[in-house]
Amino acid sequence: MVEYAPSTGGLALWVQHQDLPDEGAQSPKLGAPAKAPAPPVTTDGHTIRYSATFDALPLAEQVGWVAHEVLHIALRHPQRFLDLQHRLGDADLQLFNLCADAIVNSTLDHLSWLQLPDKAVTIDQLLAAEVGMQNNVEAALLEWDVERLYRAIDDRRPQDRGGKRDGPRAASVRALGQQDQADLKPGPDAREAPEESAAQAREWGERITRAHASDGEFSMLRTLIADLPTTHTPWEQMLRTQLARSLAPKRDISWSRPSRSYLANQGRAGANRRMPWEPGFSSSKASPRLVVIVDVSGSVDDALMARFAAEVEAIVRRLEAGLVLVIGDEQVREVTRFEPTHSTRQGSGLRDIVFQGGGGTDFTPLLEEADQHQPDIGVVLTDLDGPAYFRPRWPVIWAVPEANASALAPFGRKLVLR
């Protein structure tokens, strides 16, 4: 790879490599069902693992397999499958693997110095057979990413006895790719914290772009494809930035003490000229205050609520801010205050909130109640299903679960919790 495409082939140097133990000597148990042949190479998103059958392949096929797995890692396909599964609640790994393979195979198919597996599925074949689109490879790679391709072919429907049954497209894709071997093995280590995931996506995107530009026509990538990893700023980081900006201690003008520049010049602009008095600054004694409004008529996932509560509590402790918790739906149900001295020793109570779900919502009384506490900023945890006839002067952040990402905020800023 490095001999023919030095820069894009060199992406393999950012990847871990591991030889798996030879299990060929172990004989199958009598009566056990025959297993599908394991691929010679697999990846979990960080490491390429080589089975004993890899050594028996011709050199061109070895290069093809390694290039294939390197691009899976560079495009972050295992991590993106886990993200898609988290967003949809259910995602089929085999269908996703076939979509990812189609993109990677199409990217490498133009190279003469490597060999892809027999009957390797390409993106133009997949689109023509299952979506009914006649696109050449270059046009398809510039338009389709793996998530969009997966959604286009996943027509599975729930069954009465649980699980899902393949629709015509999903069944046809499985048949088209029945020769493909499942090489994506996303394990628990592939799941990353939001900040780490954003950083890794940014780094791999920069590596691929630089490598492709350096190799030019010799690049392993046919074109800079639409499937390049994209960076999404984690909602935790956005919430942290917005709250820190509003809750940071503010300085007050003090007419009883001079400014530093006045002291440095000793109050004089020249030999016989005095400077006008320039006031200094003093730290504000009033502690900043955050109000969190929780709409209990909506539904929030427990894991998402735990992440939200942990982030808010950490910000309040770090900035020594007071917290007012307003809970309600069409009316205020409960108001709890947490002073800065207490918030450093105990939680905010967010984790203990029970959501009712399905009820009506009116943000007007909740915002009016919050306004009485004169906060510096407010966060509303809601599904945005309700009116808001009162608009406060302080900034408002609407924290919305991903299922309600398309809802419109009446004012302020909307933050989607993924």
Side-chain angles (χ1 to χ4, degrees):
M1 287 164 54
V2 175
E3 179 182 354
Y4 286 95
S7 296
T8 48
L11 293 175
L13 301 176
W14 294 95
V15 175
Q16 301 179 32
H17 303 264
Q18 179 184 4
D19 287 329
L20 297 176
D22 185 3
E23 299 179 354
Q26 299 179 1
S27 57
K29 296 180 180 180
L30 294 176
K35 294 183 179 180
V41 185
T42 60
T43 183
D44 61 355
H46 301 286
T47 304
I48 298 179
R49 295 185 168 88
Y50 303 86
S51 67
T53 58
F54 177 80
D55 293 335
L57 297 176
L59 177 60
E61 288 189 37
Q62 289 182 335
V63 177
W65 272 105
V66 176
H68 184 97
E69 302 306 321
V70 166
L71 289 186
H72 273 323
I73 295 177
L75 298 173
R76 296 178 53 77
H77 285 154
Q79 291 88 346
R80 291 163 68 179
F81 168 76
L82 294 177
D83 290 341
L84 187 67
Q85 188 179 53
H86 177 72
R87 292 199 300 268
L88 300 181
D90 172 72
D92 189 282
L93 179 58
Q94 184 184 17
L95 292 178
F96 185 91
N97 204 151
L98 290 170
C99 294
D101 283 349
I103 292 175
V104 171
N105 291 335
S106 302
T107 309
L108 299 171
D109 194 38
H110 68 294
L111 300 174
S112 60
W113 44 271
L114 57 78
Q115 181 179 345
L116 296 175
D118 294 336
K119 298 183 180 180
V121 178
T122 56
I123 191 171
D124 55 328
Q125 297 173 349
L126 200 63
L127 291 174
E130 316 312 330
V131 188
M133 297 181 62
Q134 298 292 335
N135 279 12
N136 59 41
V137 175
E138 285 78 7
L141 287 174
L142 289 172
E143 181 179 356
W144 292 81
D145 57 45
V146 67
E147 289 87 359
R148 183 185 176 195
L149 192 58
Y150 174 84
R151 287 188 172 98
I153 67 170
D154 184 16
D155 60 350
R156 296 174 300 141
R157 294 293 180 266
Q159 300 184 97
D160 295 337
R161 298 180 179 179
K164 289 188 176 182
R165 180 180 66 255
D166 283 349
R169 287 184 177 177
S172 182
V173 168
R174 292 190 204 274
L176 181 67
Q178 63 182 350
Q179 300 296 327
D180 276 19
Q181 296 167 315
D183 58 334
L184 294 184
K185 306 291 184 181
D189 293 340
R191 190 176 296 279
E192 300 167 333
E195 290 85 353
E196 182 184 357
S197 178
Q200 288 294 320
R202 181 171 56 253
E203 289 181 7
W204 274 112
E206 292 173 354
R207 290 168 187 165
I208 294 173
T209 303
R210 289 196 303 265
H212 181 68
S214 298
D215 281 344
E217 60 179 317
F218 302 104
S219 172
M220 291 198 318
L221 298 173
R222 178 173 296 192
T223 182
L224 275 180
I225 56 182
D227 199 44
L228 287 178
T230 55
T231 303
H232 300 284
T233 304
W235 66 263
E236 291 94 337
Q237 182 176 340
M238 297 174 63
L239 179 64
R240 196 178 307 144
T241 301
Q242 292 293 319
L243 294 187
R245 189 175 298 165
S246 298
L247 297 176
K250 300 175 178 61
R251 299 191 303 170
D252 292 335
I253 294 178
S254 175
W255 290 94
S256 63
R257 58 187 302 179
S259 66
R260 292 184 179 181
S261 60
Y262 187 89
L263 290 174
N265 290 287
Q266 297 181 348
R268 297 182 180 275
N272 300 311
R273 297 178 58 189
R274 295 190 59 85
M275 294 177 60
W277 176 261
E278 185 177 351
F281 293 91
S282 62
S283 299
S284 175
K285 294 182 179 180
S287 60
R289 187 174 295 276
L290 165 68
V291 61
V292 176
I293 300 174
V294 180
D295 168 22
V296 291
S297 69
S299 58
V300 177
D301 178 75
D302 290 341
L304 183 61
M305 187 62 187
R307 288 169 56 194
F308 177 80
E311 191 64 35
V312 170
E313 290 170 2
I315 294 170
V316 168
R317 286 195 302 268
R318 189 182 309 118
L319 298 176
E320 297 183 357
L323 174 65
V324 177
L325 183 60
V326 179
I327 302 173
D329 37 38
E330 75 275 2
Q331 59 181 307
V332 177
R333 302 292 181 180
E334 182 181 348
V335 179
T336 308
R337 300 171 183 82
F338 297 88
E339 296 303 325
T341 53
H342 294 164
S343 63
T344 59
R345 296 196 297 266
Q346 62 186 31
S348 63
L350 286 171
R351 303 171 194 266
D352 302 326
I353 295 176
V354 178
F355 289 83
Q356 305 299 325
T361 304
D362 187 352
F363 299 112
T364 305
L366 307 182
L367 291 169
E368 289 175 342
E369 171 64 31
D371 189 60
Q372 296 180 14
H373 301 278
Q374 300 179 347
D376 295 279
I377 189 172
V379 180
V380 185
L381 182 61
T382 178
D383 55 8
L384 276 176
D385 185 15
Y389 301 117
F390 174 75
R391 179 170 183 170
R393 295 183 178 181
W394 34 272
V396 178
I397 298 176
W398 304 86
V400 183
E402 189 175 13
N404 308 100
S406 60
L408 297 177
F411 47 81
R413 178 171 183 176
K414 183 177 72 174
L415 180 64
V416 180
L417 309 180
R418 301 183 184 276

